[in-house]
Amino acid sequence: MVNDYQKEAPGLTLSTAMQEAARCLLCADAPCSKACPAGTDPARFIRSLRFQNVKGAAEVIRENNALGAVCARVCPTERYCESACPRGKIDRPIRIGDLQRYITDMEASLGMKILKPGKDTGKKVAIVGAGPAGLQAATTLRQRGVAVTIFEAKQKAGGYLTTGIPEYRLPQAIVDHEVARIVDLGVDLRCGVRVGKDVSLDQLKQDYDAVLVTVGCQAAKQLDQLANNVCTEAAISFLARVKAGQVTASDLPDHVLVIGGGDVAMDVATTLKRLGVPHVTDVAYEEFSEFRASKTELAGTRAAGVTLIDGYQPVSAHQNQVTFKHRKVAAELTIEADKIIYAVGQRADLTGLDLDLQHNERALGAAKYHTTDPQVFAAGDIVAGDQTVVFAVQKGKEAAGEICRTLLGGNDHD
Amino acid sequence: MIKKDLSVDFLGVHFENPFCLSSSPVGNCYEMCARAFDAGWGGVVFKTIGPADFKVDEVSPRFDELQKEGTPFVAFKNMEQIAEHPLAQNLADLRKLKQNYPDKVVIASIMGPTEDDWEELARLVEEAGADMIEMNLSCPQMTSHAMGADVGTNPDLCQRYCAAVKRGSKLPMMAKMTPNITTMIPVVKACLAGGADGIALINTVKSVANVDLEKKVGLPIVNGQSAVSGLSGKAVKPIALRFLQELRSAAGLEQLPVSGIGGIETWSDAAEFILLGATTLQVTTAVMQYGYRIVEDLKNGLMHYMEEQGVDHLSDLVGQATKQIVPAEQLDRNYKVYPKIDWDKCIGCGRCFISCQDGAHQALSWDDDQRRPVFDKSKCVGCQLCALVCPVHAITLGLVEMKPGREGDPATVDVASQRLPS
Ligand SMILES: Cc1cc2nc3c(=O)[nH]c(=O)nc-3n(C[C@H](O)[C@H](O)[C@H](O)COP(=O)(O)OP(=O)(O)OC[C@H]3O[C@@H](n4cnc5c(N)ncnc54)[C@H](O)[C@@H]3O)c2cc1C
Ligand SMILES: Cc1cc2nc3c(=O)[nH]c(=O)nc-3n(C[C@H](O)[C@H](O)[C@H](O)COP(=O)(O)O)c2cc1C
Ligand code: SF4
């Protein structure tokens, strides 16, 4: 366990992928395809695979989703495509994510180059943040012949794909490959440049026809009870350090307490276990029946041996001791741990950007993806809608379409 | 999406792509053919049209299906005859199709009991605007023995009927062959002598697919009885390819224009027909099972294959595999190739052991403690049954060795294979 904590579970093989595709009922109206937030067409790519057209299947995925290989691994498919699969009425839904992974892996191993830049329009757009939303928007804009420069504060592109989601669920090599494919379309990617500090938003407005802000929710929300407590660390900070290879088993104590009941908390708890921490306790505010974490993640966390306690909220803390009370029944719990990691949500950090986001979110509505500044657009986790990779992809795609409509006029043609 | 020119010329007619519906219920009427064209098919062979006075009276139900280990439609059996719609309506449909889809290819399939009927039908479908005629000499379940597969095994009748069609119409014409025959060559030569411009193969294979064990009747049951009738679908592909190979390698028939039919479901099935000499392709069973939409992957997959092969014209691929299929006596019998087991992949199921013990030469035994096969090279004949049954493809082609006393360099032996990777 300790040595291969990073290793991704093996994917489908040709035989098992074909067997899985053969389970697909090839439904007339393909509910799975309607259930994908990014409009990927699983029914179509599974059919292509089923009829031995793996390259055609890869085209279906890639032309719709610049992060198809990422989504294959991290999409909460149980909530999206797979939840709609009529095969579930017979036994269990088709493993759509796994098939998508098989196909995109084939795409890579066959060296396919599916995406092509469009004819130059003479327009140029700056994108702030190279997370999924920014990367997809860059792709869509390049496909329509718009020049794109991405400014990314960190040294590496990917957003939470690179600094959040653990290696065992999403190998960095996959993210790097997707990014390379996008850069290959002629995107000027500038890492290590924080907009609002190293360059101003006003400067970008002067230099580009439009600016798209996709800075994500990169700051951790705090728990008042844990403020200024030296035993604590934010989940995203911990996960970023693990991904950067800065955490080794010997750095970690014997007992770590994790607070939170979402996917991020599950990632932290599972990562700790995989790193060899003997005792990991996760306390969640939600009861299992209302859990936000995906079933797959929850199951993975359980399988890793994490002690999960649901329904408790923290009421006080003294250094390495946290006291929780059950939200509904009379029960109290005090846990002493060597380290406390909190995963209670993320928020946008807009320092130096001078953007007004109400509750960190812009409502999707008539002025889709517009901000109060006509030249500045926003997408990804900082606008309303689910905060998942596939939603970020869809929002990035739509925002790019909106920018094209604004800059080039005419219809938004996909 | 990849874009490649899939167009072909066949019997002087231009097809935007080689994929056609074969004559059957999938092309029963105007509305169906129109939807097929809209879905992307290059041509349709309209459901076989008979003379006005031939009454088609069908049974119900009329289909059966062969399964293997849960896979449906391994083969498909039907008891249908020819078009149920009246002649006048069929002709009107052909006319409307050609009017509304001038760039698509409309092929009329016809069948009659007498020379006069063939001649008259040919005249009528040409008048209706068809681009081509296909003579159905091959339906195995006609209620009249003056029509169908019985005619298609009789070279003399075939020649006379072809000549009759040629008298009735100047359209390019292909004769559709029955596989219910030992060799197709005499019939094909007779058809060509009668004026056929090309050959379509195959129609369905006579069959009884299943028997109801309680009622003791073949399926489907028609009021307590059943009949021998035509089998189609994936299982007949090998039979179709065999006839295609027989014809295209026969002296004088090397350039025979062929429309390939039988079990085509995927682009790779289609490519196999093309490599053995077919120029256009026709499909029924896969469409009945999955719908017109399968043409999307037939076309896209074939484009990718062309790209991989570095060809810009499909015609460059036609017949490329014919010469590599030779009579059994010409094969190189000087070497054998041993299986190679990849122990990292082996999951210890023992299927190779069982098959070698009970179906090959007992070269694989079983180590009960290790739960893995043990190989005895001295007994192995190199049949590679083990590789075919291995569920995880852990067995591949390994060492090549000349048989004792035989000349040759093992290094130059070409054993590469898609099924059995080396
Ligand atoms: C631990 C974790 C696990 C997750 N697991 C999943 C999962 O399994 N499935 C799923 O669908 N979603 C998951 N998510 C959510 C998903 O990662 C996000 O919804 C998605 O990454 C949002 O994309 P984004 O492009 O809006 O922003 P982000 O991914 O947050 O990227 C924003 C980028 O902008 C950069 N940036 C910020 N400010 C500036 C600036 N001023 N100048 C320049 N650059 C800037 C940041 O450095 C970052 O690279 C997870 C999130 C976390 C934290
Ligand atoms: C239900 C059914 C009806 C058919 N009717 C005709 C017909 O009217 N005329 C004809 O030439 N072939 C007919 N055929 C044969 C098909 O055109 C085709 O030659 C055969 O089914 C093999 O192709 P496939 O495996 O793609 O189905 C019929 C086949 C089926 C399954
Ligand atoms: S090649 Fe044939 S004889 Fe040799 S081990 Fe395999 S099954 Fe047995």
mmCIF file with all atom_site columns, all heavy atoms in Angstrom, chain B residues 22-25 47-48 63 78 81 136 176 202-203 232-233 261-263 284-285, ligand 2:
data_model
loop_
_atom_site.group_PDB
_atom_site.id
_atom_site.type_symbol
_atom_site.label_atom_id
_atom_site.label_alt_id
_atom_site.label_comp_id
_atom_site.label_asym_id
_atom_site.label_entity_id
_atom_site.label_seq_id
_atom_site.pdbx_PDB_ins_code
_atom_site.Cartn_x
_atom_site.Cartn_y
_atom_site.Cartn_z
_atom_site.occupancy
_atom_site.B_iso_or_equiv
_atom_site.pdbx_formal_charge
_atom_site.auth_seq_id
_atom_site.auth_comp_id
_atom_site.auth_asym_id
_atom_site.auth_atom_id
_atom_site.pdbx_PDB_model_num
ATOM   1   N N   . SER B 1 22  ? -29.207 -4.102  -48.457 1.00 0.00 ? 22  SER B N   1
ATOM   2   C CA  . SER B 1 22  ? -29.474 -5.190  -49.391 1.00 0.00 ? 22  SER B CA  1
ATOM   3   C C   . SER B 1 22  ? -30.984 -5.370  -49.459 1.00 0.00 ? 22  SER B C   1
ATOM   4   O O   . SER B 1 22  ? -31.726 -4.906  -48.600 1.00 0.00 ? 22  SER B O   1
ATOM   5   C CB  . SER B 1 22  ? -28.754 -6.471  -48.972 1.00 0.00 ? 22  SER B CB  1
ATOM   6   O OG  . SER B 1 22  ? -29.387 -7.105  -47.886 1.00 0.00 ? 22  SER B OG  1
ATOM   7   N N   . SER B 1 23  ? -31.403 -6.026  -50.513 1.00 0.00 ? 23  SER B N   1
ATOM   8   C CA  . SER B 1 23  ? -32.826 -6.172  -50.764 1.00 0.00 ? 23  SER B CA  1
ATOM   9   C C   . SER B 1 23  ? -33.455 -6.991  -49.640 1.00 0.00 ? 23  SER B C   1
ATOM   10  O O   . SER B 1 23  ? -33.070 -8.136  -49.396 1.00 0.00 ? 23  SER B O   1
ATOM   11  C CB  . SER B 1 23  ? -33.011 -6.879  -52.111 1.00 0.00 ? 23  SER B CB  1
ATOM   12  O OG  . SER B 1 23  ? -34.375 -7.058  -52.353 1.00 0.00 ? 23  SER B OG  1
ATOM   13  N N   . SER B 1 24  ? -34.427 -6.407  -48.959 1.00 0.00 ? 24  SER B N   1
ATOM   14  C CA  . SER B 1 24  ? -35.056 -7.046  -47.791 1.00 0.00 ? 24  SER B CA  1
ATOM   15  C C   . SER B 1 24  ? -36.001 -6.033  -47.163 1.00 0.00 ? 24  SER B C   1
ATOM   16  O O   . SER B 1 24  ? -36.122 -4.917  -47.675 1.00 0.00 ? 24  SER B O   1
ATOM   17  C CB  . SER B 1 24  ? -33.982 -7.430  -46.762 1.00 0.00 ? 24  SER B CB  1
ATOM   18  O OG  . SER B 1 24  ? -33.542 -6.288  -46.064 1.00 0.00 ? 24  SER B OG  1
ATOM   19  N N   . PRO B 1 25  ? -36.626 -6.380  -46.044 1.00 0.00 ? 25  PRO B N   1
ATOM   20  C CA  . PRO B 1 25  ? -37.535 -5.396  -45.422 1.00 0.00 ? 25  PRO B CA  1
ATOM   21  C C   . PRO B 1 25  ? -36.858 -4.077  -45.042 1.00 0.00 ? 25  PRO B C   1
ATOM   22  O O   . PRO B 1 25  ? -37.558 -3.091  -44.839 1.00 0.00 ? 25  PRO B O   1
ATOM   23  C CB  . PRO B 1 25  ? -38.065 -6.114  -44.179 1.00 0.00 ? 25  PRO B CB  1
ATOM   24  C CG  . PRO B 1 25  ? -37.276 -7.352  -44.029 1.00 0.00 ? 25  PRO B CG  1
ATOM   25  C CD  . PRO B 1 25  ? -36.686 -7.675  -45.350 1.00 0.00 ? 25  PRO B CD  1
ATOM   26  N N   . LYS B 1 47  ? -36.500 -3.739  -51.925 1.00 0.00 ? 47  LYS B N   1
ATOM   27  C CA  . LYS B 1 47  ? -37.055 -5.081  -51.690 1.00 0.00 ? 47  LYS B CA  1
ATOM   28  C C   . LYS B 1 47  ? -37.496 -5.711  -53.018 1.00 0.00 ? 47  LYS B C   1
ATOM   29  O O   . LYS B 1 47  ? -38.135 -5.066  -53.850 1.00 0.00 ? 47  LYS B O   1
ATOM   30  C CB  . LYS B 1 47  ? -38.247 -4.961  -50.734 1.00 0.00 ? 47  LYS B CB  1
ATOM   31  C CG  . LYS B 1 47  ? -39.003 -6.245  -50.473 1.00 0.00 ? 47  LYS B CG  1
ATOM   32  C CD  . LYS B 1 47  ? -38.272 -7.200  -49.552 1.00 0.00 ? 47  LYS B CD  1
ATOM   33  C CE  . LYS B 1 47  ? -39.032 -8.529  -49.433 1.00 0.00 ? 47  LYS B CE  1
ATOM   34  N NZ  . LYS B 1 47  ? -38.244 -9.573  -48.720 1.00 0.00 ? 47  LYS B NZ  1
ATOM   35  N N   . THR B 1 48  ? -37.129 -6.992  -53.228 1.00 0.00 ? 48  THR B N   1
ATOM   36  C CA  . THR B 1 48  ? -37.355 -7.664  -54.522 1.00 0.00 ? 48  THR B CA  1
ATOM   37  C C   . THR B 1 48  ? -38.807 -7.517  -55.023 1.00 0.00 ? 48  THR B C   1
ATOM   38  O O   . THR B 1 48  ? -39.765 -7.815  -54.302 1.00 0.00 ? 48  THR B O   1
ATOM   39  C CB  . THR B 1 48  ? -37.011 -9.157  -54.427 1.00 0.00 ? 48  THR B CB  1
ATOM   40  O OG1 . THR B 1 48  ? -35.653 -9.272  -54.015 1.00 0.00 ? 48  THR B OG1 1
ATOM   41  C CG2 . THR B 1 48  ? -37.219 -9.843  -55.782 1.00 0.00 ? 48  THR B CG2 1
ATOM   42  N N   . PHE B 1 63  ? -39.370 -15.039 -38.227 1.00 0.00 ? 63  PHE B N   1
ATOM   43  C CA  . PHE B 1 63  ? -37.923 -14.967 -37.948 1.00 0.00 ? 63  PHE B CA  1
ATOM   44  C C   . PHE B 1 63  ? -37.520 -15.881 -36.795 1.00 0.00 ? 63  PHE B C   1
ATOM   45  O O   . PHE B 1 63  ? -38.326 -16.203 -35.933 1.00 0.00 ? 63  PHE B O   1
ATOM   46  C CB  . PHE B 1 63  ? -37.525 -13.525 -37.565 1.00 0.00 ? 63  PHE B CB  1
ATOM   47  C CG  . PHE B 1 63  ? -37.896 -12.493 -38.584 1.00 0.00 ? 63  PHE B CG  1
ATOM   48  C CD1 . PHE B 1 63  ? -38.484 -11.295 -38.189 1.00 0.00 ? 63  PHE B CD1 1
ATOM   49  C CD2 . PHE B 1 63  ? -37.646 -12.703 -39.936 1.00 0.00 ? 63  PHE B CD2 1
ATOM   50  C CE1 . PHE B 1 63  ? -38.830 -10.332 -39.123 1.00 0.00 ? 63  PHE B CE1 1
ATOM   51  C CE2 . PHE B 1 63  ? -37.991 -11.733 -40.870 1.00 0.00 ? 63  PHE B CE2 1
ATOM   52  C CZ  . PHE B 1 63  ? -38.585 -10.542 -40.463 1.00 0.00 ? 63  PHE B CZ  1
ATOM   53  N N   . ASN B 1 78  ? -34.820 -16.220 -41.616 1.00 0.00 ? 78  ASN B N   1
ATOM   54  C CA  . ASN B 1 78  ? -36.078 -15.579 -42.016 1.00 0.00 ? 78  ASN B CA  1
ATOM   55  C C   . ASN B 1 78  ? -36.836 -16.433 -43.007 1.00 0.00 ? 78  ASN B C   1
ATOM   56  O O   . ASN B 1 78  ? -36.262 -17.254 -43.716 1.00 0.00 ? 78  ASN B O   1
ATOM   57  C CB  . ASN B 1 78  ? -35.809 -14.191 -42.601 1.00 0.00 ? 78  ASN B CB  1
ATOM   58  C CG  . ASN B 1 78  ? -35.536 -14.226 -44.088 1.00 0.00 ? 78  ASN B CG  1
ATOM   59  O OD1 . ASN B 1 78  ? -36.448 -14.171 -44.900 1.00 0.00 ? 78  ASN B OD1 1
ATOM   60  N ND2 . ASN B 1 78  ? -34.267 -14.352 -44.458 1.00 0.00 ? 78  ASN B ND2 1
ATOM   61  N N   . GLN B 1 81  ? -40.548 -13.860 -48.249 1.00 0.00 ? 81  GLN B N   1
ATOM   62  C CA  . GLN B 1 81  ? -40.365 -13.972 -49.693 1.00 0.00 ? 81  GLN B CA  1
ATOM   63  C C   . GLN B 1 81  ? -40.057 -12.578 -50.246 1.00 0.00 ? 81  GLN B C   1
ATOM   64  O O   . GLN B 1 81  ? -39.191 -11.889 -49.734 1.00 0.00 ? 81  GLN B O   1
ATOM   65  C CB  . GLN B 1 81  ? -41.594 -14.602 -50.334 1.00 0.00 ? 81  GLN B CB  1
ATOM   66  C CG  . GLN B 1 81  ? -41.945 -15.941 -49.704 1.00 0.00 ? 81  GLN B CG  1
ATOM   67  C CD  . GLN B 1 81  ? -43.027 -16.635 -50.450 1.00 0.00 ? 81  GLN B CD  1
ATOM   68  O OE1 . GLN B 1 81  ? -42.845 -17.049 -51.594 1.00 0.00 ? 81  GLN B OE1 1
ATOM   69  N NE2 . GLN B 1 81  ? -44.181 -16.754 -49.825 1.00 0.00 ? 81  GLN B NE2 1
ATOM   70  N N   . ASN B 1 136 ? -32.706 -11.291 -58.440 1.00 0.00 ? 136 ASN B N   1
ATOM   71  C CA  . ASN B 1 136 ? -32.746 -12.184 -57.291 1.00 0.00 ? 136 ASN B CA  1
ATOM   72  C C   . ASN B 1 136 ? -32.931 -13.607 -57.807 1.00 0.00 ? 136 ASN B C   1
ATOM   73  O O   . ASN B 1 136 ? -34.034 -14.038 -58.113 1.00 0.00 ? 136 ASN B O   1
ATOM   74  C CB  . ASN B 1 136 ? -33.886 -11.753 -56.360 1.00 0.00 ? 136 ASN B CB  1
ATOM   75  C CG  . ASN B 1 136 ? -33.982 -12.625 -55.126 1.00 0.00 ? 136 ASN B CG  1
ATOM   76  O OD1 . ASN B 1 136 ? -33.387 -13.700 -55.068 1.00 0.00 ? 136 ASN B OD1 1
ATOM   77  N ND2 . ASN B 1 136 ? -34.742 -12.170 -54.140 1.00 0.00 ? 136 ASN B ND2 1
ATOM   78  N N   . LYS B 1 176 ? -27.790 -11.915 -58.337 1.00 0.00 ? 176 LYS B N   1
ATOM   79  C CA  . LYS B 1 176 ? -27.532 -12.225 -56.916 1.00 0.00 ? 176 LYS B CA  1
ATOM   80  C C   . LYS B 1 176 ? -27.564 -13.733 -56.695 1.00 0.00 ? 176 LYS B C   1
ATOM   81  O O   . LYS B 1 176 ? -28.547 -14.402 -56.994 1.00 0.00 ? 176 LYS B O   1
ATOM   82  C CB  . LYS B 1 176 ? -28.568 -11.523 -56.038 1.00 0.00 ? 176 LYS B CB  1
ATOM   83  C CG  . LYS B 1 176 ? -28.351 -11.789 -54.553 1.00 0.00 ? 176 LYS B CG  1
ATOM   84  C CD  . LYS B 1 176 ? -29.164 -10.826 -53.710 1.00 0.00 ? 176 LYS B CD  1
ATOM   85  C CE  . LYS B 1 176 ? -29.071 -11.151 -52.236 1.00 0.00 ? 176 LYS B CE  1
ATOM   86  N NZ  . LYS B 1 176 ? -29.858 -10.225 -51.426 1.00 0.00 ? 176 LYS B NZ  1
ATOM   87  N N   . ILE B 1 202 ? -23.716 -12.876 -50.899 1.00 0.00 ? 202 ILE B N   1
ATOM   88  C CA  . ILE B 1 202 ? -24.607 -14.013 -51.084 1.00 0.00 ? 202 ILE B CA  1
ATOM   89  C C   . ILE B 1 202 ? -26.018 -13.683 -50.596 1.00 0.00 ? 202 ILE B C   1
ATOM   90  O O   . ILE B 1 202 ? -26.205 -12.765 -49.813 1.00 0.00 ? 202 ILE B O   1
ATOM   91  C CB  . ILE B 1 202 ? -24.116 -15.243 -50.267 1.00 0.00 ? 202 ILE B CB  1
ATOM   92  C CG1 . ILE B 1 202 ? -23.995 -14.891 -48.786 1.00 0.00 ? 202 ILE B CG1 1
ATOM   93  C CG2 . ILE B 1 202 ? -22.851 -15.824 -50.818 1.00 0.00 ? 202 ILE B CG2 1
ATOM   94  C CD1 . ILE B 1 202 ? -23.693 -16.038 -47.844 1.00 0.00 ? 202 ILE B CD1 1
ATOM   95  N N   . ASN B 1 203 ? -26.956 -14.477 -51.067 1.00 0.00 ? 203 ASN B N   1
ATOM   96  C CA  . ASN B 1 203 ? -28.273 -14.490 -50.429 1.00 0.00 ? 203 ASN B CA  1
ATOM   97  C C   . ASN B 1 203 ? -28.171 -15.455 -49.240 1.00 0.00 ? 203 ASN B C   1
ATOM   98  O O   . ASN B 1 203 ? -27.079 -15.899 -48.889 1.00 0.00 ? 203 ASN B O   1
ATOM   99  C CB  . ASN B 1 203 ? -29.348 -14.922 -51.441 1.00 0.00 ? 203 ASN B CB  1
ATOM   100 C CG  . ASN B 1 203 ? -30.711 -14.354 -51.085 1.00 0.00 ? 203 ASN B CG  1
ATOM   101 O OD1 . ASN B 1 203 ? -31.118 -14.387 -49.921 1.00 0.00 ? 203 ASN B OD1 1
ATOM   102 N ND2 . ASN B 1 203 ? -31.420 -13.828 -52.064 1.00 0.00 ? 203 ASN B ND2 1
ATOM   103 N N   . SER B 1 232 ? -28.898 -15.666 -42.245 1.00 0.00 ? 232 SER B N   1
ATOM   104 C CA  . SER B 1 232 ? -28.064 -14.514 -42.591 1.00 0.00 ? 232 SER B CA  1
ATOM   105 C C   . SER B 1 232 ? -27.355 -14.048 -41.330 1.00 0.00 ? 232 SER B C   1
ATOM   106 O O   . SER B 1 232 ? -27.420 -14.698 -40.298 1.00 0.00 ? 232 SER B O   1
ATOM   107 C CB  . SER B 1 232 ? -28.954 -13.393 -43.152 1.00 0.00 ? 232 SER B CB  1
ATOM   108 O OG  . SER B 1 232 ? -29.932 -13.029 -42.172 1.00 0.00 ? 232 SER B OG  1
ATOM   109 N N   . GLY B 1 233 ? -26.666 -12.909 -41.411 1.00 0.00 ? 233 GLY B N   1
ATOM   110 C CA  . GLY B 1 233 ? -25.985 -12.366 -40.238 1.00 0.00 ? 233 GLY B CA  1
ATOM   111 C C   . GLY B 1 233 ? -24.553 -12.851 -40.128 1.00 0.00 ? 233 GLY B C   1
ATOM   112 O O   . GLY B 1 233 ? -24.036 -13.554 -40.988 1.00 0.00 ? 233 GLY B O   1
ATOM   113 N N   . ILE B 1 261 ? -22.128 -9.291  -49.853 1.00 0.00 ? 261 ILE B N   1
ATOM   114 C CA  . ILE B 1 261 ? -23.241 -9.338  -48.891 1.00 0.00 ? 261 ILE B CA  1
ATOM   115 C C   . ILE B 1 261 ? -23.049 -10.538 -47.977 1.00 0.00 ? 261 ILE B C   1
ATOM   116 O O   . ILE B 1 261 ? -22.616 -11.603 -48.426 1.00 0.00 ? 261 ILE B O   1
ATOM   117 C CB  . ILE B 1 261 ? -24.605 -9.555  -49.591 1.00 0.00 ? 261 ILE B CB  1
ATOM   118 C CG1 . ILE B 1 261 ? -24.719 -8.753  -50.875 1.00 0.00 ? 261 ILE B CG1 1
ATOM   119 C CG2 . ILE B 1 261 ? -25.763 -9.245  -48.635 1.00 0.00 ? 261 ILE B CG2 1
ATOM   120 C CD1 . ILE B 1 261 ? -25.912 -9.166  -51.735 1.00 0.00 ? 261 ILE B CD1 1
ATOM   121 N N   . GLY B 1 262 ? -23.418 -10.380 -46.716 1.00 0.00 ? 262 GLY B N   1
ATOM   122 C CA  . GLY B 1 262 ? -23.435 -11.520 -45.805 1.00 0.00 ? 262 GLY B CA  1
ATOM   123 C C   . GLY B 1 262 ? -22.730 -11.217 -44.499 1.00 0.00 ? 262 GLY B C   1
ATOM   124 O O   . GLY B 1 262 ? -21.509 -11.264 -44.426 1.00 0.00 ? 262 GLY B O   1
ATOM   125 N N   . GLY B 1 263 ? -23.498 -10.864 -43.482 1.00 0.00 ? 263 GLY B N   1
ATOM   126 C CA  . GLY B 1 263 ? -22.924 -10.702 -42.143 1.00 0.00 ? 263 GLY B CA  1
ATOM   127 C C   . GLY B 1 263 ? -22.118 -9.452  -41.930 1.00 0.00 ? 263 GLY B C   1
ATOM   128 O O   . GLY B 1 263 ? -21.358 -9.363  -40.965 1.00 0.00 ? 263 GLY B O   1
ATOM   129 N N   . THR B 1 284 ? -28.240 -6.318  -44.511 1.00 0.00 ? 284 THR B N   1
ATOM   130 C CA  . THR B 1 284 ? -29.604 -6.411  -43.999 1.00 0.00 ? 284 THR B CA  1
ATOM   131 C C   . THR B 1 284 ? -29.660 -6.709  -42.505 1.00 0.00 ? 284 THR B C   1
ATOM   132 O O   . THR B 1 284 ? -30.151 -5.912  -41.714 1.00 0.00 ? 284 THR B O   1
ATOM   133 C CB  . THR B 1 284 ? -30.443 -7.462  -44.754 1.00 0.00 ? 284 THR B CB  1
ATOM   134 O OG1 . THR B 1 284 ? -30.864 -6.892  -45.986 1.00 0.00 ? 284 THR B OG1 1
ATOM   135 C CG2 . THR B 1 284 ? -31.694 -7.855  -43.967 1.00 0.00 ? 284 THR B CG2 1
ATOM   136 N N   . THR B 1 285 ? -29.141 -7.860  -42.103 1.00 0.00 ? 285 THR B N   1
ATOM   137 C CA  . THR B 1 285 ? -29.388 -8.316  -40.729 1.00 0.00 ? 285 THR B CA  1
ATOM   138 C C   . THR B 1 285 ? -28.922 -7.303  -39.687 1.00 0.00 ? 285 THR B C   1
ATOM   139 O O   . THR B 1 285 ? -29.643 -7.026  -38.722 1.00 0.00 ? 285 THR B O   1
ATOM   140 C CB  . THR B 1 285 ? -28.726 -9.685  -40.496 1.00 0.00 ? 285 THR B CB  1
ATOM   141 O OG1 . THR B 1 285 ? -29.231 -10.594 -41.474 1.00 0.00 ? 285 THR B OG1 1
ATOM   142 C CG2 . THR B 1 285 ? -29.028 -10.224 -39.111 1.00 0.00 ? 285 THR B CG2 1
HETATM 143 C C1  . LIG C 2 .   ? -35.943 -10.769 -43.600 1.00 0.00 ? 2   LIG C C1  1
HETATM 144 C C2  . LIG C 2 .   ? -35.121 -10.889 -44.842 1.00 0.00 ? 2   LIG C C2  1
HETATM 145 C C3  . LIG C 2 .   ? -35.710 -10.712 -46.081 1.00 0.00 ? 2   LIG C C3  1
HETATM 146 C C4  . LIG C 2 .   ? -34.959 -10.791 -47.232 1.00 0.00 ? 2   LIG C C4  1
HETATM 147 N N1  . LIG C 2 .   ? -35.530 -10.551 -48.434 1.00 0.00 ? 2   LIG C N1  1
HETATM 148 C C5  . LIG C 2 .   ? -34.781 -10.572 -49.558 1.00 0.00 ? 2   LIG C C5  1
HETATM 149 C C6  . LIG C 2 .   ? -35.321 -10.216 -50.802 1.00 0.00 ? 2   LIG C C6  1
HETATM 150 O O1  . LIG C 2 .   ? -36.490 -9.879  -50.925 1.00 0.00 ? 2   LIG C O1  1
HETATM 151 N N2  . LIG C 2 .   ? -34.523 -10.230 -51.883 1.00 0.00 ? 2   LIG C N2  1
HETATM 152 C C7  . LIG C 2 .   ? -33.214 -10.578 -51.813 1.00 0.00 ? 2   LIG C C7  1
HETATM 153 O O2  . LIG C 2 .   ? -32.507 -10.554 -52.826 1.00 0.00 ? 2   LIG C O2  1
HETATM 154 N N3  . LIG C 2 .   ? -32.654 -10.907 -50.634 1.00 0.00 ? 2   LIG C N3  1
HETATM 155 C C8  . LIG C 2 .   ? -33.411 -10.912 -49.518 1.00 0.00 ? 2   LIG C C8  1
HETATM 156 N N4  . LIG C 2 .   ? -32.818 -11.189 -48.301 1.00 0.00 ? 2   LIG C N4  1
HETATM 157 C C9  . LIG C 2 .   ? -31.389 -11.528 -48.250 1.00 0.00 ? 2   LIG C C9  1
HETATM 158 C C10 . LIG C 2 .   ? -30.541 -10.304 -47.910 1.00 0.00 ? 2   LIG C C10 1
HETATM 159 O O3  . LIG C 2 .   ? -30.675 -9.309  -48.903 1.00 0.00 ? 2   LIG C O3  1
HETATM 160 C C11 . LIG C 2 .   ? -29.055 -10.667 -47.784 1.00 0.00 ? 2   LIG C C11 1
HETATM 161 O O4  . LIG C 2 .   ? -28.604 -11.218 -49.001 1.00 0.00 ? 2   LIG C O4  1
HETATM 162 C C12 . LIG C 2 .   ? -28.803 -11.681 -46.689 1.00 0.00 ? 2   LIG C C12 1
HETATM 163 O O5  . LIG C 2 .   ? -29.644 -11.431 -45.591 1.00 0.00 ? 2   LIG C O5  1
HETATM 164 C C13 . LIG C 2 .   ? -27.343 -11.654 -46.214 1.00 0.00 ? 2   LIG C C13 1
HETATM 165 O O6  . LIG C 2 .   ? -26.947 -10.396 -45.742 1.00 0.00 ? 2   LIG C O6  1
HETATM 166 P P1  . LIG C 2 .   ? -26.949 -9.985  -44.178 1.00 0.00 ? 2   LIG C P1  1
HETATM 167 O O7  . LIG C 2 .   ? -26.138 -11.000 -43.443 1.00 0.00 ? 2   LIG C O7  1
HETATM 168 O O8  . LIG C 2 .   ? -26.387 -8.621  -44.128 1.00 0.00 ? 2   LIG C O8  1
HETATM 169 O O9  . LIG C 2 .   ? -28.373 -10.002 -43.744 1.00 0.00 ? 2   LIG C O9  1
HETATM 170 C C14 . LIG C 2 .   ? -33.573 -11.090 -47.143 1.00 0.00 ? 2   LIG C C14 1
HETATM 171 C C15 . LIG C 2 .   ? -32.994 -11.289 -45.889 1.00 0.00 ? 2   LIG C C15 1
HETATM 172 C C16 . LIG C 2 .   ? -33.746 -11.180 -44.752 1.00 0.00 ? 2   LIG C C16 1
HETATM 173 C C17 . LIG C 2 .   ? -33.072 -11.360 -43.414 1.00 0.00 ? 2   LIG C C17 1
#
